[in-house]
Amino acid sequence: MVMSLFGKLSAHEGENCPDELLIESCIDGNLCRCTGYRSILSAFKSFAGTPKEQVAGEKFAPFPDFLKQQQTGPKVFMGSDKEWISPASLEELCEIISTQSARSDGKKMSLVAGHTCRGIYKDDHLVDVFVDVSRVPELMVTEVSSDGIKLGAAVTWGMLIKTLEGVTDSSKPEMGALPVLIEHAYKVAGHSVRNLGTLGGNLVMTKRRGFASDLATILAGVGASITIVSSGEGPKVPSKVALETFFSSSFKLSHDAIVTDVLIPYLAAGELFRSYRTAVRPVNSHALTNAAFRAKMEGGKIVSARLVFGALGSNETLPGPSDPETSEGAFGGPVRAPKAEQVMVGNAPDVGTLRSALDALSKEEWWPEDEFERHLSSSYLYKMFHTLAGSDVEKAPPLGVSLSSERPASKGTQLVGWATPDMAPIAEPMPKLSSKLQAAGEQTYTSDLPEPRDILYAAYVVVPRAKAVLVDADLTAAEKMPGVFRIFDSTVIPGKNICELTQSHRLLLPKGEPSQFAGQPCHIVLADSTRRAEAAAKAVRLTLETPGENPVLTTCRAREVQQAADDGQRELPSPIITKGATVVQRGDAAAALAAAPHKVKGELFCDGQKAFYMEPPASLAIPGEGGTLTVWGSFQVPSWVHGVVADATGKTKNQIVMNATHIGGGFGGKLFKSTHVVCAASVCAMATQRAVKFAINRNVETAMCGGRLSMDFEYEVGFDDSGKLAAIQAKIYTDKGLGDGCSGFSTGIAVKNMEQIYGIPNLDVEGIMCTTDKPGNTAIRGPGEPQATFLIESIIEHVAAELGKDAQEVREANIFTSPADVKIVAANPTSKEVEKYSAMLAIDPEKDAAGRPYGSLGFPAVGIWAMLKQKVDFDAKAAAVAKFNSEHRWRKRGLAMTPVRYCVSSRAQQALVCLYTDGTCLITCDGTEIGQGLHTKMIQFAAYYLSQIVPGCDVPVSAIRVGPNGTDKVAHGSITGGSTTSEGVCEAIRDAIEKIAEMLKPTKEKMSAAGKNVTFAGLLEAASGNTELQASGKNKKTLEYFCYGAAASEVEVDVLTGETTVLSTSILYDCGKSLNPTIDLGQCEGAFMMGLGFFLRERLITNPMTGAMATDGTWEYKIPCFQDVPLQFDVEFFPRAFTEGASVLSSKASGEPPLVLSSSVFCAVKQAIRAGRKEFGKGSGNFRLDAPCTPRDIALAIGAVSEKMDI
């Protein structure tokens, strides 16, 4: 991201850096799972308006002269069994293509420039010769003439934007298409990809592979043409081809054809041009559907029309021949709508013409089968009619390329340092000590460790479908590939064939057994590079016996299969349904339901979620003398991995040392799911007696790593006229996949935490675990918690809809003992006395429905709720939202406020503190630094308590270092997870330092008695001869406590496309007395944004026939981006903490609880949908909305159908 900022500042024209909005856009191609973006954006925007030469540009960082020199003639490079040729002219390019086409060795060639297609199509292993066209001057032209704007085929997206911006003139009507093209281009990919991806490559990829292109659509829509030259024998006569012809099924693109340039025409007098796109997230996300329209008006009538639609079918598996370079591309690309065009021409852009055009559009030969694609296609045409008719902005739908076209720069406030630090540096808002290393790219992760000589690199061969029996594997082609050392199957494993603590997953699928899930490894390839290992893995040919039935992939199907087995209709080796996995009961729910004045029932579903950390799991295993093994890996619990590796290798634990340096994100995904990589590297290292490194491919890892448990819900609720809940009966069906050590835990949390802070006198909730043919699902950040709040908040919304009440009113009816209590509590929200107004405590003041005591830390939930409501002026905001919705038909806003009550447990963390005679300190512990700031809090804690050994001699944080953790330092430690590792390790450090202080006391007393000046370093030097200067410590304050918070969010929805902008979010969170407010703030914001992904973005798509995952990488799986950050994002820590019974200096966890507060965005979206449904005749009653609710779900839930469209 730092380089993205530097590039943006350097490329900006002018003496000063750009404004905040432009600076925000510099990370449109970057993703961050940890921070939630806000802190990064704030830091970056501090450069706005700064003199550029002080921070960026050629003067600040001169580009080396020798790199500016251009070599003439073709360049040829050989390496990794690939050939790279870089011609310097079109003639040379033609000769190279002709020569390569005549080769008899079967080697395949591909033309490349930025080679960005590699991010989508993973078939580099099929290509032997890469021909780089980026130095061909004929393909790099940019010419502006009276005919239009000519751009070479090797011109990048970035140069396209820059060229169009340079010639755009608002005073010239013929230039009217250019601003639209620019706006649309900025929505595609990120700027780093746009600066590499070329126009010609995109168009040819669309033709030959059916790529879901935006460029193809907007250029075809504006009427662009391309020039094609044949590289074959004979004269190189260029031919000009209209793009719509190029993309037609009748046009054949020969294998020796070269697209040389694109011509973008100007508009004629009276013409208008508009384009549209809808994607899962605002930027850096491929279009679900797009369109580009060009039309001319004369005398109030449409005299010409060009309607082009594209990216249709993009939600299916990406098509593409196995050899795209020789494919003629029978079909691929955008299509025109001639029937709709014909209806429009000669008519005014009125309601009648609109109706006829929409009807004609639905009769086009290409009209999609997918409901959402049909909906978007109609919506885009409707938006164009508003533009042609010149509708007022207030009456028209959003008319830009997408809703995010209107987005300003984000802003926010952070009020987190309410408690004055009285034990400095503890509680000081200190930046993470490794932040500068991370920003500079100098932080060391597992893959960055020095590599021993003769190291081997590993890659998996995977079975592509679930339940397929592995009959045989043909290794012939793979073994002959350069660099391949050996290919192992399951027989290489000397110990148990396992890779997980519960032993539910096989490390390698043995021959003759059915695969447990799609993507399960069956072989390991070892080679002299990762690239060669992965290429060889793809060359292995598996013989599989296809299963007689489809895999079980949902809880619904699992229940059907189990029921059939229970009825004697089929056999199962073991039950796949575990009823009563967790049950929470209070009162008599059945009787209360029967007596309730009102009852509703419903069903819901929420999808799972991938951890999707920055660093895919990696491991380095190094065999040593005497059969020992030293292992480095990216895992959250060294002791767990230690045991599994011992089982897999057949070695004793004292022969193996597990080490972990910094981990590039975990989110629970590296509790169990990274163990397979460590086991694989370890087994191979022992078999070969050579070091083995395994940095797994992200797509392979994502498919096999599992994730958050998806859940199906059934509920029945009884309530009174005010909406006060009398009883809830619910069943939660959790998809555990094969299961792992946290599947049951996640299920239990979902059941136990469903009541949140609501008073529910009668409750009966059962968790039912379902085994499916998928990798074991696990504890992802906040396990079970977002699912639990999704259920209860959906119930609240259902009750409100049934009674015709506002959901806020129903929430408060169940949070407070009476409606009048809200104002009473708001008068003094930080007082402990306000707890008596809690409806939950009125039922049982000691414990919740799951039997967990509230403890002595208090129950500040009602105070937080009332304080936040007052701070955001919720009632005024609600009135403003209602007014907006009454005045806008095609935009709807929603406002919601939701709470969190989150139970965490501190554990018996361990630490080893070593002091040295120069006054420095080295700490190791059982906690792993996964980006959460653990090491910084440890150092702050150690600095304070070390400074107490010799009063007046402060030990600075610079004198303390935290080393890598390992099982040779902490033999069997606790886990890193659950948000409490920092406070647990800090307490262990305090314990260790107090032990050392006690051991140093005799020396200190002796020095004082002798009249010597006692300094910290001097004391250590004096004691070093007869006193141990190290000690281990353990957290003995293990306890369970609750964190509380609330969030209010406002959203705006484009009712036609389903796109959503989060206008504002205000969070009030109970972090106790933070050990480091800066770090806890980042954890809070990052958790919230990850939750927003769960509720709005991150849908998992699986092939129902094979179980293969389509969302296995960044192309289809969309975590939130920077434009998902609320435009106004305010975070405040609740200014109250009672110290009685507090675990570590009254601090509280921050890494997971705020994730749940993103439910406020989901509920706000649901309110906006409700307003839209009411607008379009669907009433204001309840409707089912599952999570995540993507643009597709939102638009179809509103259902703004063509009958309601008018001008």
Side-chain angles (χ1 to χ4, degrees):
M1 288 189 181
V2 171
M3 295 310 298
S4 295
L5 172 65
F6 183 79
K8 171 69 78 172
L9 301 184
S10 297
H12 183 67
E13 296 181 357
E15 296 181 355
N16 294 328
C17 295
D19 61 21
E20 292 188 351
L21 183 59
L22 282 177
I23 286 179
E24 276 201 359
S25 70
C26 79
I27 61 168
D28 60 1
N30 298 100
L31 297 174
C32 180
R33 192 59 134 172
C34 301
T35 67
Y37 299 101
R38 197 282 312 160
S39 56
I40 295 173
L41 292 174
S42 294
F44 282 12
K45 286 186 292 188
S46 67
F47 288 93
T50 301
K52 192 170 74 173
E53 65 179 19
Q54 296 181 8
V55 294
E58 184 70 10
K59 290 184 178 180
F60 180 79
F63 197 73
D65 290 334
F66 76 93
L67 291 177
K68 298 177 183 178
Q69 299 173 4
Q70 288 289 331
Q71 178 181 326
T72 59
K75 298 179 181 178
V76 180
F77 305 95
M78 301 290 292
S80 299
D81 315 307
K82 306 292 183 183
E83 186 174 357
W84 187 279
I85 307 175
S86 178
S89 69
L90 182 60
E91 182 180 358
E92 290 176 3
L93 175 60
C94 291
E95 290 176 1
I96 291 169
I97 294 175
S98 179
T99 301
Q100 294 295 326
S101 300
R103 293 177 71 150
S104 59
D105 55 9
K107 289 195 172 183
K108 297 179 181 180
M109 176 195 69
S110 177
L111 301 186
V112 298
H115 200 27
T116 55
C117 70
R118 188 174 184 271
I120 310 164
Y121 303 103
K122 313 294 184 180
D123 52 9
D124 270 7
H125 62 291
L126 299 175
V127 180
D128 304 291
V129 181
F130 295 91
V131 181
D132 176 12
V133 301
S134 62
R135 295 173 60 243
V136 177
E138 294 91 336
L139 304 185
M140 296 296 294
V141 299
T142 56
E143 297 177 0
V144 180
S145 68
S146 58
D147 295 329
I149 302 168
K150 181 180 179 180
L151 299 164
V155 166
T156 65
W157 278 83
M159 185 55 70
L160 164 71
I161 293 172
K162 186 174 182 180
T163 301
L164 298 184
E165 287 178 334
V167 301
T168 296
D169 187 342
S170 59
S171 67
K172 297 179 179 180
E174 66 270 22
M175 299 281 193
L178 304 190
V180 179
L181 293 173
I182 294 168
E183 180 188 344
H184 200 121
Y186 271 123
K187 298 297 179 187
V188 179
H191 78 278
S192 56
V193 173
R194 292 195 298 268
N195 287 337
L196 291 173
T198 62
L199 309 185
N202 188 288
L203 297 176
V204 173
M205 185 167 63
T206 303
K207 174 66 176 176
R208 286 188 166 143
R209 297 201 188 236
F211 174 63
S213 170
D214 280 273
L215 180 72
T217 300
I218 60 178
L219 291 184
V222 81
S225 59
I226 59 173
T227 303
I228 299 177
V229 171
S230 173
S231 62
E233 297 182 0
K236 307 298 184 284
V237 180
S239 59
K240 187 176 181 180
V241 181
L243 271 183
E244 62 184 274
T245 302
F246 178 72
F247 291 123
S248 67
S249 58
S250 60
F251 184 86
K252 307 301 180 184
L253 184 64
S254 63
H255 70 280
D256 62 354
I258 302 171
V259 175
T260 60
D261 58 67
V262 179
L263 180 65
I264 302 174
Y266 301 123
L267 298 182
E271 279 192 309
L272 294 170
F273 176 75
R274 293 292 184 272
S275 68
Y276 313 95
R277 75 187 306 267
T278 303
V280 173
R281 68 179 175 216
V283 293
N284 200 16
S285 180
H286 69 78
L288 301 173
T289 300
N290 55 33
F293 306 144
R294 179 174 176 171
K296 183 176 181 179
M297 294 286 295
E298 280 185 5
K301 292 186 177 182
I302 304 169
V303 297
S304 68
R306 171 189 290 271
L307 309 178
V308 176
F309 297 83
L312 302 170
S314 62
N315 58 329
E316 300 297 329
T317 302
L318 286 170
S322 59
D323 189 3
E325 290 301 321
T326 59
S327 167
E328 294 183 337
F331 174 75
V335 292
R336 284 187 69 172
K339 294 179 181 179
E341 292 171 0
Q342 186 177 2
V343 168
M344 291 171 63
V345 173
N347 293 299
D350 54 22
V351 174
T353 306
L354 170 65
R355 298 273 190 270
S356 299
L358 289 171
D359 181 63
L361 185 64
S362 68
K363 295 176 182 176
E364 301 288 355
E365 293 182 3
W366 51 262
W367 190 239
E369 295 182 3
D370 181 78
E371 182 183 7
F372 189 45
E373 291 180 353
R374 295 198 304 266
H375 177 93
L376 287 177
S377 298
S378 298
S379 297
Y380 295 154
L381 184 56
Y382 176 63
K383 291 189 176 195
M384 183 62 174
F385 263 80
H386 270 283
T387 298
L388 292 171
S391 299
D392 294 336
V393 175
E394 291 76 14
K395 295 181 180 179
L399 298 178
V401 171
S402 65
L403 183 63
S404 63
S405 298
E406 307 167 355
R407 182 182 176 90
S410 61
K411 56 185 179 179
T413 59
Q414 300 81 42
L415 301 173
V416 294
W418 64 271
T420 302
D422 53 7
M423 299 173 67
I426 297 174
E428 287 187 342
M430 182 184 298
K432 192 164 64 173
L433 295 176
S434 61
S435 58
K436 290 184 178 180
L437 289 175
Q438 288 179 295
E442 297 176 1
Q443 183 78 75
T444 300
Y445 299 98
T446 303
S447 292
D448 302 318
L449 294 171
E451 298 176 352
R453 293 182 58 185
D454 299 322
I455 190 171
L456 296 169
Y457 301 84
Y460 279 139
V461 179
V462 301
V463 179
R465 63 182 300 151
K467 301 181 73 172
V469 176
L470 177 60
V471 177
D472 198 10
D474 183 357
L475 311 180
T476 307
E479 289 176 331
K480 292 178 179 178
M481 295 180 71
V484 173
F485 177 75
R486 198 169 297 171
I487 302 177
F488 288 131
D489 61 14
S490 63
T491 59
V492 76
I493 303 171
K496 297 179 181 179
N497 187 1
I498 62 169
C499 61
E500 200 154 326
L501 199 63
T502 60
Q503 304 189 10
S504 59
H505 295 61
R506 291 193 177 278
L507 176 58
L508 295 175
L509 178 68
K511 190 180 295 185
E513 290 193 12
S515 56
Q516 296 176 294
F517 53 87
Q520 183 172 22
C522 59
H523 291 76
I524 302 173
V525 177
L526 297 180
D528 59 5
S529 72
T530 296
R531 179 184 286 271
R532 284 178 164 178
E534 290 181 351
K538 294 177 180 178
V540 173
R541 296 290 172 258
L542 301 179
T543 301
L544 304 174
E545 182 180 306
T546 305
E549 63 178 354
N550 292 338
V552 176
L553 300 173
T554 65
T555 66
C556 182
R557 178 59 182 156
R559 284 178 276 163
E560 292 175 355
V561 170
Q562 184 65 61
Q563 188 61 54
D566 294 343
D567 294 342
Q569 298 173 6
R570 62 174 299 161
E571 294 183 358
L572 288 174
S574 60
I576 61 174
I577 299 293
T578 305
K579 294 184 177 181
T582 303
V583 176
V584 169
Q585 293 178 325
R586 172 197 280 152
D588 189 338
L593 271 172
H598 304 278
K599 288 186 284 289
V600 295
K601 61 175 60 178
E603 297 181 356
L604 297 164
F605 169 77
C606 66
D607 212 338
Q609 185 179 30
K610 295 292 184 180
F612 220 80
Y613 17 65
M614 177 190 73
E615 173 207 32
S619 181
L620 174 61
I622 307 169
E625 61 183 10
T628 58
L629 189 64
T630 300
V631 185
W632 292 84
S634 46
F635 38 74
Q636 293 180 226
V637 192
S639 60
W640 288 358
V641 183
H642 196 196
V644 178
V645 170
D647 285 340
T649 59
K651 292 190 168 297
T652 57
K653 289 185 177 181
N654 71 328
Q655 293 178 296
I656 305 168
V657 176
M658 307 302 302
N659 300 284
T661 181
H662 301 90
I663 310 300
F667 313 112
K670 292 174 182 171
L671 285 169
F672 294 98
K673 298 308 174 184
S674 61
T675 311
H676 59 87
V677 170
V678 187
C679 288
S682 300
V683 165
C684 292
M686 297 310 300
T688 61
Q689 283 302 294
R690 289 171 62 175
V692 173
K693 183 177 183 177
F694 197 166
I696 191 170
N697 175 280
R698 182 178 289 278
N699 297 87
V700 173
E701 192 267 342
T702 302
M704 64 179 290
C705 71
R708 191 185 301 280
L709 280 67
S710 63
M711 298 186 185
D712 285 276
F713 307 89
E714 297 174 353
Y715 64 85
E716 186 171 7
V717 186
F719 50 96
D720 64 17
D721 292 342
S722 69
K724 199 167 186 64
L725 302 175
I728 295 178
Q729 283 186 331
K731 294 184 183 297
I732 303 177
Y733 300 93
T734 66
D735 182 352
K736 71 171 189 174
L738 291 179
D740 75 2
C742 286
S743 298
F745 173 76
S746 300
T747 299
I749 292 299
V751 173
K752 294 176 182 178
N753 287 6
M754 187 270 268
E755 63 177 334
Q756 283 297 343
I757 67 169
Y758 299 111
I760 310 171
N762 300 282
L763 194 62
D764 187 352
V765 186
E766 178 185 10
I768 302 167
M769 290 199 297
C770 304
T771 303
T772 57
D773 297 318
K774 294 190 288 191
N777 286 318
T778 192
I780 300 300
R781 191 178 198 173
E785 297 283 356
Q787 300 101 312
T789 200
F790 166 72
L791 173 58
I792 187 60
E793 297 301 342
S794 295
I795 287 174
I796 293 288
E797 298 274 348
H798 194 165
V799 170
E802 183 72 12
L803 295 173
K805 291 180 176 292
D806 183 81
Q808 181 79 356
E809 182 182 348
V810 174
R811 287 188 176 94
E812 292 182 351
N814 292 281
I815 292 173
F816 296 91
T817 50
S818 74
D821 296 341
V822 184
K823 290 185 178 181
I824 298 174
V825 174
N828 192 10
T830 60
S831 168
K832 199 174 189 306
E833 295 302 313
V834 302
E835 295 178 8
K836 63 186 178 183
Y837 299 106
S838 165
M840 191 174 193
L841 296 189
I843 295 170
D844 188 333
E846 301 296 330
K847 61 184 182 302
D848 65 5
R852 297 171 299 188
Y854 299 121
S856 60
L857 299 184
F859 188 89
V862 290
I864 290 172
W865 182 273
M867 184 174 175
L868 179 63
K869 184 180 181 182
Q870 189 175 54
K871 277 182 173 290
V872 301
D873 200 355
F874 187 90
D875 293 338
K877 269 196 168 188
V881 166
K883 185 176 185 295
F884 179 91
N885 289 340
S886 68
E887 296 171 349
H888 295 79
R889 188 173 195 188
W890 302 103
R891 302 170 187 258
K892 296 298 177 185
R893 291 183 177 177
L895 175 68
M897 192 167 149
T898 58
V900 62
R901 178 179 64 95
Y902 194 110
C903 183
V904 299
S905 300
S906 58
R907 299 172 299 275
Q909 307 286 165
Q910 299 176 49
L912 175 65
V913 177
C914 299
L915 302 184
Y916 301 95
T917 56
D918 61 356
T920 60
C921 172
L922 173 65
I923 305 172
T924 53
C925 66
D926 57 3
T928 53
E929 174 60 74
I930 53 179
Q932 82 278 43
L934 168 65
H935 288 182
T936 301
K937 289 183 177 180
M938 289 169 60
I939 290 173
Q940 288 177 271
F941 222 78
Y944 173 77
Y945 281 101
L946 288 173
S947 297
Q948 308 311 302
I949 294 178
V950 180
C953 291
D954 289 344
V955 178
V957 295
S958 59
I960 305 168
R961 185 174 75 87
V962 179
N965 54 6
T967 53
D968 57 343
K969 305 172 189 72
V970 178
H972 190 88
S974 188
I975 74 169
T976 299
S979 299
T980 59
T981 304
S982 295
E983 58 194 70
V985 171
C986 284
E987 180 61 19
I989 289 171
R990 183 198 61 77
D991 183 45
I993 291 174
E994 287 183 352
K995 291 178 181 177
I996 295 174
E998 189 64 28
M999 290 187 288
L1000 290 172
K1001 187 179 292 185
T1003 303
K1004 180 182 173 185
E1005 292 174 349
K1006 185 177 180 180
M1007 292 177 69
S1008 297
K1012 294 182 179 180
N1013 180 34
V1014 182
T1015 64
F1016 183 67
L1019 174 62
L1020 298 180
E1021 178 68 36
S1024 61
N1026 55 16
T1027 303
E1028 207 176 341
L1029 298 184
Q1030 66 183 40
S1032 60
K1034 185 176 183 179
N1035 174 30
K1036 302 180 180 67
K1037 291 186 176 181
T1038 56
L1039 77 160
E1040 192 173 70
Y1041 65 85
F1042 291 94
C1043 299
Y1044 301 87
S1049 294
E1050 182 181 359
V1051 303
E1052 181 172 311
V1053 167
D1054 180 335
V1055 302
L1056 291 174
T1057 64
E1059 296 166 291
T1060 299
T1061 295
V1062 184
L1063 300 177
S1064 68
T1065 292
S1066 295
I1067 294 174
L1068 184 58
Y1069 180 64
D1070 169 31
C1071 200
K1073 289 184 177 178
S1074 170
L1075 296 180
N1076 185 319
T1078 297
I1079 287 176
D1080 286 333
L1081 169 65
Q1083 288 288 292
C1084 181
E1085 293 174 335
F1088 178 86
M1089 290 303 297
M1090 187 168 178
L1092 189 144
F1094 171 79
F1095 282 111
L1096 293 190
R1097 300 280 180 253
E1098 299 174 45
R1099 184 177 300 286
L1100 300 174
I1101 302 174
T1102 303
N1103 186 311
M1105 306 291 288
T1106 66
M1109 177 164 285
T1111 47
D1112 64 350
T1114 57
W1115 180 251
E1116 288 291 350
Y1117 191 71
K1118 301 301 182 184
I1119 70 172
C1121 67
F1122 83 99
Q1123 286 201 356
D1124 287 310
V1125 175
L1127 292 179
Q1128 180 71 41
F1129 195 11
D1130 301 327
V1131 179
E1132 182 175 353
F1133 288 167
F1134 188 60
R1136 192 212 74 166
F1138 296 109
T1139 58
E1140 302 91 347
S1143 59
V1144 180
L1145 304 183
S1146 299
S1147 67
K1148 283 193 173 185
S1150 62
E1152 293 178 302
L1155 183 146
V1156 179
L1157 295 175
S1158 55
S1159 60
S1160 62
V1161 175
F1162 177 83
C1163 293
V1165 169
K1166 193 165 187 179
Q1167 292 300 314
I1169 295 173
R1170 190 182 308 281
R1173 288 170 62 88
K1174 185 177 181 180
E1175 180 81 49
F1176 294 99
K1178 292 191 174 182
S1180 56
N1182 186 63
F1183 58 96
R1184 175 173 172 171
L1185 186 67
D1186 295 337
C1189 55
T1190 64
R1192 176 190 187 95
D1193 306 297
I1194 294 169
L1196 295 182
I1198 294 173
V1201 292
S1202 58
E1203 291 79 14
K1204 299 291 183 180
M1205 294 179 176
D1206 56 19
I1207 303 299

